[in-house]
Amino acid sequence: MDEPTAETYGGQVIGRALADGGVEHVFGVYGSISLAIEEANRKGVKMLHFRHEQSAAFAADAYGRALRKPGVCFTSS
């Protein structure tokens, strides 16, 4: 795991937390949250992009229920 430094930003912390928490896939609409998602991608988390937030939320819910794994949905502001 990368150690936090004076130049650690919030996106790195969130991305690391997702990867360390066992998240394998995230569902959402890429936008202003890109720093966190990019860091998670570097840690091996795969992003599935949708055109609408509601569809991403349904997919994350179905993923979590079916596989008994964290179903993470993200949106842009």
Side-chain angles (χ1 to χ4, degrees):
M1 180 173 121
D2 298 329
E3 293 299 319
T5 65
E7 280 122 33
T8 299
Y9 58 90
Q12 288 175 320
V13 174
I14 295 169
R16 289 176 187 160
L18 289 170
D20 292 346
V23 174
E24 296 176 5
H25 296 87
V26 292
F27 305 81
V29 179
Y30 196 74
S32 64
I33 195 168
S34 63
L35 296 176
I37 300 306
E38 287 174 8
E39 183 66 23
N41 288 150
R42 280 192 278 279
K43 299 290 184 185
V45 177
K46 294 182 177 45
M47 182 188 82
L48 299 159
H49 179 77
F50 288 77
R51 291 185 179 195
H52 193 277
E53 293 89 348
Q54 188 175 24
S55 299
F58 287 144
D61 179 57
Y63 177 88
R65 289 173 189 257
L67 300 178
R68 301 285 188 218
K69 294 182 179 181
V72 177
C73 177
F74 66 93
T75 62
S76 179
S77 59

